[in-house]
Amino acid sequence: METQLPEDFCCPISHEIMSDPVILCSGYTFDRSSIQRWLDTGHRTCPITQTPLPPRPSLIPNYALRSLISHFAQAHHISLSPTLPATISASATTAAGTLQSYPSSQRQKVKQLVSTLASPESPTSSKLDALSLLRRPSKYDVNFRQILTDSGGASAILLCASDPQLQDSALSVLFNLSLDDDNKVGLVAEGALGPVVAALSSGFPAARALSATIITSLAIVEVNKGTIGRYPGAVESLVELLRDGNLKGKREAATALSTLCSFPDNKRRAVDAGAVPILLALAAAEESMERPVEVLSLLSRCAEGREAIRNCRGGVQVLSRILKDGRPQSRREHALAALSSICSHSESFAAAAKREGVYESCLEFIGDENGKVKRNASILIQALERCRDGS
């Protein structure tokens, strides 16, 4: 009887099982040889979405999917291409040689640990021991992380992350895997957001903070920002942590939101989740925290964010006070960016800011060496000079 291939294992172009899956910047995975032929013939759109691609689109190895396909192929005696395509870079070839230099005994040990994590019969104590043994080397050794990923470690660790007794240890190893750009998209594609968002929402304080850190790590890759933002409960859970978490949790949530909100749609999601009043309260109360002011400056770039800040009682006073007296300097620059955006769209807000003494404070930024800061100061000064009520 012919083996039924999982649909995700087949290349959307060739419809054959992938031997070297790579992720295009559109977020879709293809076999490297197929998508490379597509690009070599002059196409500059995604074959699936038809969205434009950059002149030299990057192809990110999907190690997690490659590991799943490899295990499936071995179990069903399916032959995959034994050699890497010629298009793989020299650095990848060098990395493969480095991995081969690892003793076979160590490779086998990693496989045994992954097997322990993946087995429903393994007791919790054994899984905790396995995660402990994986934690330190996966933190410091990029080659060890690739061996762990190639051994199917990602899927096994994600299973453990859903168990409250294993959650903290599993999330620590998962964060280590997310340190490599090659793993970031693959982890999201393999379902990492499910257990991460669950821990972010209802885990213990340490797990919630670590989950926010993982989201920050995954969102560094541009293609993941939209995927994370669309995931049910992701942005909402970050805002909840920002509101009721401990100090570390609030810091990590603010950092995650600052990373996510560089993606336009995520600004609206954060506003809809009620982030603005919480951010303003944190910006006023926690003078050492820069991120809340940074997120406010990002949200001020969309109409929904500007409206939410305008409608929040005390918003103009908080931003004006940070602009005048805030430390470090970066907090003042973020406040300047937010005020310049809001005041240029609202005469009443500009008048209120002028009454708070913002005009005098922003004059010192006109000569700033940073062109962006200088431009924001100029925009704010013009908006303040246009407003009628400056008394």
Side-chain angles (χ1 to χ4, degrees):
M1 181 178 179
E2 186 176 350
T3 301
Q4 182 66 38
L5 292 174
E7 184 178 349
D8 291 344
F9 289 4
C10 297
C11 175
I13 297 176
S14 67
H15 302 291
E16 297 178 352
I17 189 168
M18 293 182 280
S19 60
D20 186 21
V22 294
I23 304 164
L24 196 61
C25 52
S26 63
Y28 286 86
T29 296
F30 305 87
D31 197 45
R32 184 184 290 272
S33 58
S34 296
I35 191 61
Q36 192 65 57
R37 282 195 300 270
W38 171 270
L39 298 173
D40 288 345
T41 54
H43 293 95
R44 281 301 174 267
T45 58
C46 171
I48 303 297
T49 66
Q50 300 304 311
T51 54
L53 299 174
R56 293 181 178 83
S58 58
L59 302 178
I60 304 171
N62 192 336
Y63 290 122
L65 181 58
R66 188 172 73 180
S67 175
L68 291 173
I69 293 174
S70 176
H71 283 81
F72 180 88
Q74 291 176 11
H76 295 85
H77 307 290
I78 298 173
S79 176
L80 298 176
S81 174
T83 58
L84 293 176
T87 53
I88 293 183
S89 66
S91 61
T93 305
T94 302
T98 303
L99 292 177
Q100 292 299 329
S101 67
Y102 264 74
S104 58
S105 58
Q106 186 170 356
R107 290 170 168 272
Q108 187 60 36
K109 179 63 175 177
V110 172
K111 290 181 178 180
Q112 290 173 355
L113 294 173
V114 170
S115 179
T116 297
L117 296 177
S119 173
E121 287 76 27
S122 298
T124 299
S125 58
S126 297
K127 292 185 178 182
L128 283 171
D129 289 342
L131 290 168
S132 178
L133 290 170
L134 293 172
R135 185 171 180 174
R136 182 174 178 81
S138 66
K139 182 176 182 179
Y140 297 106
D141 191 339
V142 60
N143 294 314
F144 184 89
R145 291 197 290 269
Q146 186 169 337
I147 291 174
L148 178 56
T149 303
D150 289 345
S151 300
S155 58
I157 292 164
L158 289 175
L159 285 173
C160 294
S162 300
D163 184 335
Q165 298 182 75
L166 303 171
Q167 193 175 70
D168 287 359
S169 297
L171 289 173
S172 295
V173 182
L174 183 63
F175 170 69
N176 294 343
L177 289 181
S178 77
L179 295 174
D180 301 325
D181 285 352
D182 289 347
N183 278 341
K184 294 182 193 298
V185 180
L187 287 171
V188 171
E190 196 164 339
L193 294 182
V196 169
V197 172
L200 179 64
S201 174
S202 57
F204 291 112
R208 296 181 74 191
L210 183 52
S211 297
T213 308
I214 293 172
I215 287 179
T216 300
S217 179
L218 296 175
I220 290 173
V221 175
E222 196 67 26
V223 71
N224 279 346
K225 296 183 194 297
T227 304
I228 296 170
R230 289 190 298 269
Y231 193 88
V235 173
E236 293 81 357
S237 296
L238 285 171
V239 173
E240 289 174 6
L241 181 60
L242 194 68
R243 182 189 64 226
D244 57 30
N246 58 24
L247 183 58
K248 179 176 175 57
K250 290 178 179 180
R251 289 181 184 276
E252 296 301 333
T255 301
L257 285 170
S258 72
T259 307
L260 287 173
C261 286
S262 64
F263 185 78
D265 287 350
N266 290 339
K267 295 180 178 66
R268 174 181 51 79
R269 294 184 178 110
V271 172
D272 290 345
V276 167
I278 302 170
L279 289 164
L280 283 169
L282 278 176
E286 300 291 342
E287 296 183 0
S288 62
M289 290 179 66
E290 174 187 349
R291 296 298 187 190
V293 193
E294 180 181 3
V295 179
L296 286 167
S297 73
L298 290 170
L299 297 184
S300 71
R301 298 177 192 174
C302 71
E304 296 87 350
R306 290 191 294 271
E307 182 180 3
I309 297 171
R310 286 200 308 268
N311 293 337
C312 195
R313 185 175 182 179
V316 65
Q317 288 83 7
V318 171
L319 292 174
S320 299
R321 186 165 63 252
I322 293 172
L323 179 65
K324 289 189 289 185
D325 306 318
R327 293 289 184 274
Q329 181 73 0
S330 54
R331 291 182 88 231
R332 301 184 68 203
E333 293 173 359
H334 293 315
L336 173 67
L339 285 166
S340 66
S341 179
I342 303 168
C343 290
S344 62
H345 288 83
S346 171
E347 185 174 312
S348 62
F349 196 92
K354 195 169 185 178
R355 289 194 296 272
E356 293 293 326
V358 163
Y359 189 91
E360 292 76 12
S361 298
C362 67
L363 287 174
E364 64 185 88
F365 290 97
I366 285 295
D368 199 282
E369 294 180 356
N370 185 315
K372 185 177 180 180
V373 173
K374 184 177 180 178
R375 184 166 60 254
N376 285 334
S378 177
I379 293 171
L380 179 54
I381 288 173
Q382 291 176 35
L384 295 174
E385 290 177 342
R386 284 197 305 267
C387 72
R388 291 189 295 269
D389 183 11
S391 60

